[in-house]
Amino acid sequence: MSRTTLSRYLIEQTRSHDTPADLRFLVEVVARACKAISHAVSKGALGGVLGSMETENVQGEVQKKLDVMSNEILLEANEWGGTLAGMASEEMDKPYQIPGRFPKGAYLLMFDPLDGSSNIDVNVSVGTIFSVLRCPGECFSQNDALGEDAFLQPGTQQVAAGYAIYGPQTMLVLTLGNGVKGFTLDRELGSFVLTHENIRVPESTAEFAINMSNQRHWEAPVKRYVEELLAGETGPLEKNYNMRWIASMVADVHRILTRGGIFMYPRDAREPSKPGKLRLMYEANPMSMLIEQAGGAATNGTQRIMDIQPQSLHERVAVFLGSKQEVERVTAYHKA
Ligand code: P6P
């Protein structure tokens, strides 16, 4: 039986769901860039790409060599195709302007080029997260510089979202707004092949993911909820839970999309002015679209993440996402 590659899937989506040809091309190019990143990441010490730069990104985080390389791969792959009005990245303070020698297009691409990069030097799975919005009418003009405001759209406006995970397998997990598909990279073919037709998050779970070392800093509803999880069958939830924390959002979310669970990165008292650690535009929103499209839920503790109206490009947000039953439970505790 012939296998469905990403290209064939996207062509079929064009026919069955009117996926615009330029969006199809954009996703193809992002996937091709992720193949190049996968290749660079897999070289590890042999590629001379491990370790850190002497620089920090806009988040004040030390940049890994592969952070910078992955960012450049995505910019160079996507700037010439005529599908984008601009790009934004965790690694860049300002939006990236499409060079004047290239045509502009109707979409905006945002990405975390290498999420979880602190894990690279210890050979733990990392990934690329991306989100696609339509460019609002006024930002389409060929000559004007693209401002940050064009990107400040709620997650419900995303037309596509996905991630590549660079683990034992390299996979691309994608939604165009009609379900979630998983594609595994066939390195002999050089193509992403459809291997997960219809990814669904189980409604209930017995597995949670949170960085327990921050427990003393959490707000009361989170402390209450995690204490109940830890109480297991002796507590009010009347069942035992397992815990996982990979400290690579792509890997934790991939596990949840594969077998269920709840992922939590709550705000905490260490930096009261920060609503959380994770970034709304290019981490929480794309992951929330994937989770919701797979039948799960995603909130910031009090509201649906994808309903949040962004105020700035790199704003942070608290994240509770995964199996609907557990996300609704911890969200209800915030409202109690
Ligand atoms: P901590 C990686 O740096 C990241 O942004 C996410 O991928 C991950 O879920 C989180 O931070 C891990 O944070 O505080 O546990 O190291």
Side-chain angles (χ1 to χ4, degrees):
M1 181 187 73
S2 71
R3 299 189 295 178
T4 300
T5 60
L6 175 66
S7 301
R8 177 172 167 182
Y9 166 73
L10 290 170
I11 289 278
E12 289 169 352
Q13 284 299 301
T14 302
R15 294 184 190 128
S16 60
H17 290 81
D18 296 329
T19 300
D22 51 355
L23 178 58
R24 184 178 78 221
F25 181 63
L26 171 56
V27 172
E28 291 254 28
V29 172
V30 170
R32 203 172 303 143
C34 291
K35 278 193 279 190
I37 294 170
S38 171
H39 182 66
V41 166
S42 68
K43 286 183 178 175
L46 298 175
V49 293
L50 296 184
S52 301
M53 311 278 288
E54 302 305 317
T55 54
E56 288 187 351
N57 63 15
V58 62
Q59 327 286 343
E61 297 164 342
V62 172
Q63 290 181 299
K64 295 288 187 182
K65 292 175 186 170
L66 276 168
D67 280 325
V68 174
M69 180 185 290
S70 303
N71 193 60
E72 286 168 3
I73 288 172
L74 282 158
L75 294 177
E76 289 164 14
N78 285 287
E79 65 179 354
W80 53 268
T83 59
L84 294 175
M87 293 184 254
S89 164
E90 176 182 308
E91 300 302 328
M92 301 184 302
D93 185 14
K94 300 292 181 197
Y96 181 80
Q97 305 300 324
I98 301 299
R101 66 185 181 281
F102 300 130
K104 280 189 170 181
Y107 298 103
L108 300 171
L109 177 65
M110 294 164 289
F111 47 81
D112 179 355
L114 204 58
D115 178 71
S117 55
S118 58
N119 285 307
I120 290 173
D121 297 351
V122 294
N123 200 14
V124 168
S125 299
V126 293
T128 298
I129 308 171
F130 63 92
S131 171
V132 182
L133 294 168
R134 281 189 188 82
C135 166
E138 66 278 4
C139 83
F140 197 85
S141 65
Q142 186 67 24
N143 305 318
D144 300 344
L146 187 68
E148 183 172 301
D149 289 353
F151 293 84
L152 303 185
Q153 303 175 42
T156 48
Q157 297 303 304
Q158 295 174 103
V159 294
Y163 60 79
I165 179 169
Y166 313 117
Q169 307 98 45
T170 287
M171 281 190 68
L172 182 79
V173 176
L174 173 71
T175 183
L176 298 172
N178 54 317
V180 181
K181 310 284 181 184
F183 301 83
T184 302
L185 180 60
D186 179 330
R187 294 189 189 278
E188 290 162 2
L189 257 182
S191 302
F192 281 105
V193 177
L194 183 61
T195 48
H196 299 68
E197 283 270 356
N198 181 26
I199 294 176
R200 302 293 295 171
V201 179
E203 182 134 349
S204 64
T205 182
E207 195 161 68
F208 70 96
I210 194 166
N211 182 339
M212 288 298 291
S213 69
N214 301 327
Q215 186 170 23
R216 64 189 184 280
H217 304 303
W218 297 334
E219 296 179 324
V222 180
K223 285 183 178 176
R224 170 190 174 189
Y225 177 58
V226 174
E227 281 162 14
E228 291 181 0
L229 295 170
L230 295 173
E233 58 191 13
T234 66
L237 304 184
E238 297 179 328
K239 71 176 175 181
N240 294 325
Y241 287 77
N242 189 26
M243 196 203 103
R244 288 284 183 275
W245 186 250
I246 304 174
S248 176
M249 187 183 196
V250 170
D252 281 311
V253 170
H254 189 73
R255 184 190 59 254
I256 288 166
L257 280 168
T258 306
R259 71 185 192 206
I262 178 170
F263 172 96
M264 295 176 273
Y265 211 111
R267 68 185 309 159
D268 69 43
R270 286 173 293 181
E271 297 188 78
S273 63
K274 267 188 191 173
K277 173 180 183 182
L278 301 176
R279 275 60 58 151
L280 175 61
M281 298 303 293
Y282 38 79
E283 288 175 329
N285 268 340
M287 291 308 202
S288 296
M289 183 177 183
L290 289 164
I291 287 288
E292 288 198 6
Q293 282 288 319
T299 75
N300 66 353
T302 55
Q303 74 175 107
R304 184 185 180 211
I305 284 176
M306 290 212 289
D307 285 338
I308 295 172
Q309 173 55 48
Q311 300 305 315
S312 66
L313 194 56
H314 299 290
E315 82 179 61
R316 297 167 187 262
V317 67
V319 177
F320 301 84
L321 62 77
S323 295
K324 188 174 284 190
Q325 192 178 75
E326 296 299 340
V327 174
E328 289 175 348
R329 189 195 315 277
V330 67
T331 302
Y333 288 0
H334 281 76
K335 298 176 178 172

